[in-house]
Amino acid sequence: MKKLHYLFLVLTVAFMACQNQHNKFERETDFNFGWKFALQNDTAIPSQIPMADADWREVRLPHDWSVEASFDSTLEGCTGYLPGGVGVYQKHFATPGHKDEKSTFVLFDGVYNNATFWLNGKRLGENPYGYSPVYFDLTDHLTTDGKDNVLTVHVDHSRYADSRWYTGSGIYRHVKLLALDKLHIPVWGTYLTTPEVAADKATVRLEVTVENDLDKESAFILSTSLVDASGAAVASANTDCSLKGSNKNAFIQNFVVKNPALWSPETPYMYKAITKVIKDGAVVDEYDTPFGIRNVRFEAKKGFFLNGKFTDVKGVCLHHDGGLVGAAVPRGVWVRRLKELKACGVNAIRTAHNPYSKEFLDLCDEMGFLVQNEIFDEFDYAKDKRQNYHDRHDDYITRGYVEHFQKWAKSDLTRQVLRDRNHPSVFMWSIGNEIEWTYLHYRYVTGFWKDPNDPQNSGAYWGSEPMFSPEEMKKRYDESEKGEYILTETAERLNKWVKELDPSRTTTANLVVPQTSMVSGYADAVDVVGFSYRNKDIAWAQKHFPNKQVTINENPGTWDDWKQVLENPGVFSNFMWTGIGYIGERHGDWPSKSGWSDLLDIAGFKVQGWNYFKSIWINKPHISIGTLPLKESGFKISGFSAQQLPNNNGSYRWRDSRMHWNYKKGEKVMVEVCSNHSIVELLINGRTLGRKSMSECPDRIYRWTVPFEEGTLTAKAGFDGEEIIAELHTTSEPVGITLTADKTNLQADAYDVAHLVVQLVDAEGRAIKTENVKVDFEIEGDVRLLGVDTGADDNIQDFQSNTIVTNKGRCLAIVQSNKTKGNVTVKAKANGFETRAVVINIR
């Protein structure tokens, strides 16, 4: 009988799998379209919900209303001189036909912030943290009289300077509507790990939570198939289960995958676990869990090992905005940016300093980026949103998440970890960023801060090694005056919550006062501690705390930073600030509303740091040229050979040097060459200016001072027959513009995007980077213009416009498809030049 039962089970599962190939189980639907939106005049919750919305404008999600506004010098630089406000969204929809058989949920991946939710006037709940996902059960509040339902979301971002960077405002991430059988796998209901990984086989452990909302006990089959990237099954498991009514339980399934394709940044191979809940021969729920097979290991003094291989983490910190699109970043915008980061050697991203979207992590899985997934920027006490460190204000507009931390921290952390813990890209959880600033006694313990009345005066902290031994530091810490909250206790609590949900991953925190944190217990609260701009503390920490692994979670991105990784195997990571420019953190810097562009600027254009780090991180021949006036270089000429002397040690660093050769005749120009060759020669119009050896270059940048003359500047390196060159040419008068698109075929899904770049050129077709022109974009056809930008930090022209004045002779426009198929023509016009056009096929 057992054999017959097993045969029947196998045949049933096989039949259902065959049926579902033709009739795919629909668990969730896109809920981004058909929303109404209106800004409100005050923060008061409307007295009547739903609200009358006949005259509201229609928006599609994701939507960020702040980026639609003009930059305003009277607003706050910390969030990029853009406003916040209060907005209300409403969506009308029919009650699903399966109301009696299924439960209906709505899942928001992110709403910024202080959001309150209603269905048909019935309050569903709230979510203050703008970065955490949240979902609600709509079932009991759905209409039964044939009338439409109205989902209302009130978003109070009147505290618009509540962060130290641009946050955006509104429902700025995706929304899904879920229809789940009364016997179902709940939202984020699976947890998959790969406990053993080897070349010949890997074990996969899948924990599946099933919830039974029926009144009576249900028997069912839990059937899971692991499939590879081609869709072929590589392992399967079928489990007989039962669950009492109004109950839920977790069931464990184990698998062996033979000869697995391992996930890594070089080979981001993805599998999928397809889990079916089968009751009475019918599939009542189906849940897909994308995953990668990989093994991670961290060892003090030895470093980080991925799939058993020692791996350097070549990382960047990123903020979550996408430039002209604000916080509502289309997938295609991230794809373009991540491709450029990958091309210069980046293999890791730190999500500074908050949960990112699920879509972003999906891309990191697919494209091959390790992710240090950060949760909070503040714990018990607030930071100063304008000037960092600790809070020094009590004004309304800067009140942030600290107001909610004590009540909401566990809930927000739990929802993030449950959502993100199956992503192979996520290799570390960071519980917090530079938290020590907000516990004032931490800085005084170091001995560098001396004046209690001037807690901003750090003395010589940033350039000095610790002045005390750990024993002295511990004594000073124990004797220091502490506040209501103890940082160590809070960190231990957060770390415990993470480990309860995901014991498979390593935890970290970004320490900005590690001298104190190493003795206070804060560093011991997490597995690996990352230092923030404190290379001087690394040797001290390794000597006195040899069993505690330390690494770098944030730094300026200099050669000295990367040397810490090269010279200390245990220091496995470098996360530079930042890989891509972002809006905000510009208090008092008007008109500069963005910055910190180490590799790509805010428009996604390469800056010189991209070349510099490519020469360091990519093991292929590289050479590139940058220039800048000698007077701006931090160097001075020494002797007949035109060698340089630095004004100070800070001169030895890469900078955003210019990628052109257009100066005044005879002007002294510093030429900076990035290369991974040991000897480089520089020539002007074919005439050699001499060779330099990397032994002369403390920061791996070759430098010459050259009196400007028109023509061609050439850098050359490599052995005979394998030489590589880089050239800059003096450009002549502009004769026209070019218009190029990164994609000319878009899906008619109302999500796909194309980036269009206009560049001023001379008669030889060479890019002119020293003159600018006003450009107008015209569109013929059904496509949405998301906005325009130049990438310049001080560009305060409206993003949402069809007109812009270029910077460096160029500008960017982004268009997004609608749902109409056909050809679209985008034209770029500039006075005095021939109009250029690109045809985009929407299909």
Side-chain angles (χ1 to χ4, degrees):
M1 290 297 292
K2 287 185 178 180
K3 289 184 178 180
L4 288 174
H5 174 74
Y6 179 74
L7 179 60
F8 174 76
L9 175 64
V10 171
L11 290 174
T12 299
V13 171
F15 174 75
M16 295 309 302
C18 181
Q19 286 293 101
N20 277 288
Q21 288 180 353
H22 303 287
N23 184 22
K24 177 65 177 175
F25 190 93
E26 291 295 337
R27 179 183 165 93
E28 63 181 38
T29 56
D30 188 332
F31 215 50
N32 286 333
F33 297 90
W35 288 80
K36 294 284 195 86
F37 169 75
L39 288 171
Q40 305 298 295
N41 295 324
D42 56 47
T43 61
I45 297 295
S47 58
Q48 184 66 39
I49 295 176
M51 300 174 66
D53 58 15
D55 59 347
W56 294 9
R57 69 183 174 107
E58 188 167 315
V59 297
R60 75 174 67 154
L61 307 181
H63 173 244
D64 173 6
W65 80 67
S66 289
V67 80
E68 299 173 348
S70 298
F71 296 99
D72 185 341
S73 62
T74 66
L75 299 176
E76 295 293 335
C78 58
T79 47
Y81 302 102
L82 288 171
V86 179
V88 180
Y89 297 83
Q90 290 196 156
K91 181 174 174 64
H92 300 247
F93 65 101
T95 296
H98 49 65
K99 182 181 185 300
D100 295 332
E101 297 84 25
K102 295 188 177 184
S103 298
T104 302
F105 297 82
V106 63
L107 170 60
F108 294 86
D109 200 40
V111 183
Y112 206 91
N113 66 348
N114 296 305
T116 310
F117 306 82
W118 296 264
L119 180 65
N120 300 325
K122 305 295 184 181
R123 189 176 185 277
L124 301 172
E126 62 181 317
N127 195 45
Y129 196 31
Y131 298 111
S132 58
V134 65
Y135 67 93
F136 301 100
D137 188 344
L138 307 182
T139 310
D140 292 341
H141 306 305
L142 292 168
T143 59
T144 58
D145 57 3
K147 294 181 179 179
D148 273 356
N149 301 276
V150 182
L151 181 61
T152 305
V153 183
H154 183 274
V155 185
D156 182 356
H157 195 204
S158 55
R159 306 163 189 83
Y160 72 96
D162 61 345
S163 194
R164 298 179 297 110
W165 56 84
Y166 178 78
T167 63
S169 301
I171 308 178
Y172 70 114
R173 293 179 183 170
H174 292 290
V175 182
K176 303 286 186 182
L177 190 71
L178 288 78
L180 307 183
D181 190 87
K182 299 299 181 181
L183 181 69
H184 64 267
I185 301 169
V187 176
W188 313 316
T190 64
Y191 176 42
L192 189 149
T193 57
T194 53
E196 298 177 14
V197 177
D200 59 338
K201 70 175 183 178
T203 60
V204 176
R205 180 185 184 275
L206 179 64
E207 179 182 310
V208 183
T209 298
V210 180
E211 188 166 350
N212 182 12
D213 289 340
L214 298 169
D215 294 332
K216 58 184 179 179
E217 183 173 359
S218 293
F220 58 94
I221 299 167
L222 200 62
S223 175
T224 299
S225 178
L226 306 188
V227 299
D228 63 18
S230 71
V234 296
S236 61
N238 299 299
T239 308
D240 286 324
C241 307
S242 64
L243 193 58
K244 292 181 179 179
S246 303
N247 204 350
K248 67 178 179 179
N249 193 25
F251 301 91
I252 308 299
Q253 294 183 316
N254 293 292
F255 309 83
V256 173
V257 178
K258 295 181 179 179
N259 303 313
L262 303 186
W263 188 96
S264 73
E266 296 76 28
T267 58
Y269 194 91
M270 293 295 293
Y271 291 86
K272 185 185 295 183
I274 303 173
T275 303
K276 297 180 175 68
V277 178
I278 304 171
K279 181 183 177 184
D280 297 331
V283 175
V284 296
D285 197 13
E286 181 178 321
Y287 193 106
D288 291 352
T289 308
F291 70 98
I293 297 175
R294 52 97 173 118
N295 170 266
V296 297
R297 177 166 54 89
F298 299 82
E299 286 191 49
K301 300 181 182 179
K302 294 183 179 180
F304 166 63
F305 299 83
L306 178 61
N307 300 325
K309 178 183 175 182
F310 176 80
T311 301
D312 287 331
V313 175
K314 304 169 182 177
V316 295
C317 302
L318 295 182
H319 272 312
H320 74 148
D321 77 79
L324 69 89
V325 296
V329 189
R331 176 185 173 94
V333 171
W334 277 127
V335 169
R336 173 178 177 255
R337 292 168 174 233
L338 293 177
K339 281 181 178 178
E340 293 288 16
L341 293 181
K342 194 84 166 179
C344 72
V346 175
N347 67 3
I349 293 165
R350 174 172 170 247
T351 61
H353 305 288
N354 46 261
Y356 271 38
S357 67
K358 175 186 180 297
E359 186 172 55
F360 181 86
L361 295 179
D362 288 341
L363 280 173
C364 290
D365 291 343
E366 298 164 17
M367 300 179 70
F369 288 93
L370 296 162
V371 174
Q372 185 183 110
N373 200 333
E374 199 150 70
I375 303 173
F376 296 122
D377 186 53
E378 301 170 316
F379 291 174
D380 304 304
Y381 301 109
K383 290 180 180 175
D384 190 304
K385 305 308 186 296
R386 298 181 178 94
Q387 301 180 70
N388 203 355
Y389 279 23
H390 61 285
D391 193 18
R392 283 154 281 170
H393 304 278
D394 59 3
D395 48 351
Y396 174 84
I397 61 171
T398 61
R399 298 305 88 196
Y401 182 65
V402 164
E403 307 289 312
H404 308 284
F405 179 81
Q406 305 303 330
K407 177 181 178 181
W408 285 87
K410 185 174 184 179
S411 174
D412 289 317
L413 179 151
T414 298
R415 282 176 275 131
Q416 178 190 354
V417 174
L418 288 177
R419 186 197 65 176
D420 297 348
R421 63 183 179 174
N422 291 324
H423 288 278
S425 58
V426 176
F427 80 125
M428 302 181 83
W429 299 105
S430 172
I431 63 170
N433 167 64
E434 296 186 355
I435 301 298
E436 301 104 312
W437 286 145
T438 64
Y439 302 78
L440 288 178
H441 60 293
Y442 267 67
R443 68 190 70 175
Y444 290 111
V445 171
T446 68
F448 290 100
W449 283 263
K450 301 181 185 301
D451 185 353
N453 297 314
D454 186 9
Q456 299 303 105
N457 186 355
S458 60
Y461 178 69
W462 295 110
S464 304
E465 297 176 358
M467 64 172 63
F468 300 122
S469 69
E471 292 76 20
E472 292 173 294
M473 292 287 293
K474 182 65 166 65
K475 182 175 183 296
R476 292 173 63 88
Y477 173 77
D478 290 341
E479 295 174 349
S480 65
E481 182 179 349
K482 302 168 184 66
E484 177 184 0
Y485 299 105
I486 305 300
L487 174 53
T488 296
E489 295 174 359
T490 301
E492 288 173 343
R493 190 163 63 250
L494 294 173
N495 192 75
K496 175 176 176 287
W497 294 339
V498 172
K499 291 292 189 178
E500 287 173 347
L501 297 166
D502 181 24
S504 74
R505 285 181 178 83
T506 293
T507 56
T508 186
N510 191 37
L511 308 186
V512 74
V513 192
Q515 302 167 29
T516 307
S517 296
M518 296 296 286
V519 302
S520 69
Y522 178 33
D524 292 326
V526 293
D527 301 322
V528 174
V529 293
F531 290 2
S532 187
Y533 305 96
R534 289 305 302 162
N535 294 350
K536 292 285 186 180
D537 288 4
I538 291 175
W540 179 86
Q542 290 178 322
K543 175 183 177 181
H544 296 293
F545 305 91
N547 297 320
K548 189 66 176 179
Q549 189 166 18
V550 298
T551 189
I552 303 173
N553 279 356
E554 186 174 327
N555 55 39
T558 66
W559 174 240
D560 180 67
D561 296 322
W562 187 241
K563 278 174 62 181
Q564 303 300 320
V565 177
L566 297 178
E567 296 173 359
N568 297 279
V571 182
F572 59 87
S573 70
N574 174 101
F575 287 95
M576 74 173 70
W577 191 266
T578 60
I580 307 175
Y582 60 95
I583 308 172
E585 205 161 357
R586 284 302 183 194
H587 173 64
D589 288 342
W590 178 267
S592 179
K593 51 70 172 88
S594 58
W596 308 100
S597 309
D598 279 353
L599 304 178
L600 306 175
D601 67 23
I602 194 173
F605 293 132
K606 298 173 188 173
V607 299
Q608 192 64 9
W610 188 93
N611 285 313
Y612 181 57
F613 279 93
K614 183 177 182 181
S615 75
I616 295 171
W617 282 347
I618 297 288
N619 192 26
K620 293 181 180 179
H622 174 84
I623 194 165
S624 56
I625 305 174
T627 67
L628 68 165
L630 179 65
K631 60 187 177 184
E632 299 177 16
S633 71
F635 286 83
K636 55 189 175 183
I637 299 176
S638 173
F640 176 76
S641 64
Q643 296 288 340
Q644 284 75 43
L645 287 178
N647 291 338
N648 52 61
N649 288 337
S651 301
Y652 283 121
R653 58 178 174 80
W654 77 268
R655 71 218 70 212
D656 188 14
S657 53
R658 302 159 192 176
M659 302 179 194
H660 68 73
W661 188 236
N662 283 71
Y663 294 91
K664 295 178 181 179
K665 184 177 180 180
E667 181 178 0
K668 290 182 175 60
V669 180
M670 172 76 76
V671 177
E672 297 188 326
V673 177
C674 299
S675 182
N676 45 19
H677 279 275
S678 59
I679 296 176
V680 170
E681 181 180 13
L682 188 70
L683 303 95
I684 179 72
N685 294 324
R687 185 176 74 254
T688 185
L689 299 176
R691 299 177 180 86
K692 289 187 182 293
S693 167
M694 192 175 286
S695 61
E696 304 173 63
C697 309
D699 55 356
R700 287 180 53 113
I701 297 177
Y702 299 86
R703 293 183 174 89
W704 286 261
T705 299
V706 181
F708 176 73
E709 62 178 83
E710 289 188 7
T712 301
L713 192 66
T714 305
K716 183 168 63 174
F719 295 104
D720 187 31
E722 298 178 351
E723 291 180 328
I724 60 172
I725 67 168
E727 290 185 335
L728 292 179
H729 305 275
T730 304
T731 55
S732 55
E733 293 295 315
V735 300
I737 58 172
T738 60
L739 175 63
T740 57
D742 64 339
K743 295 168 67 176
T744 55
N745 292 291
L746 298 182
Q747 297 297 314
D749 58 6
Y751 292 118
D752 208 1
V753 296
H755 296 77
L756 299 111
V757 176
V758 169
Q759 178 66 61
L760 200 60
V761 294
D762 67 7
E764 301 297 323
R766 295 168 177 163
I768 295 176
K769 301 181 181 180
T770 55
E771 297 188 42
N772 291 298
V773 65
K774 180 174 174 287
V775 176
D776 295 303
F777 289 94
E778 291 185 2
I779 296 175
E780 298 174 359
D782 189 12
V783 74
R784 181 185 181 198
L785 177 64
L786 294 183
V788 291
D789 190 20
T790 66
D793 294 338
D794 59 356
N795 172 39
I796 51 173
Q797 302 171 85
D798 286 359
F799 281 148
Q800 296 210 349
S801 173
N802 69 333
T803 299
I804 193 164
V805 176
T806 62
N807 177 261
K808 299 179 182 178
R810 70 186 175 194
C811 64
L812 168 73
I814 302 178
V815 296
Q816 186 175 52
S817 68
N818 290 314
K819 292 190 174 183
T820 305
K821 297 181 180 180
N823 288 337
V824 170
T825 301
V826 180
K827 295 180 179 179
K829 296 182 176 181
N831 287 338
F833 302 122
E834 183 180 349
T835 297
R836 299 296 180 184
V838 168
V839 176
I840 298 176
N841 179 28
I842 313 294
R843 58 188 183 184

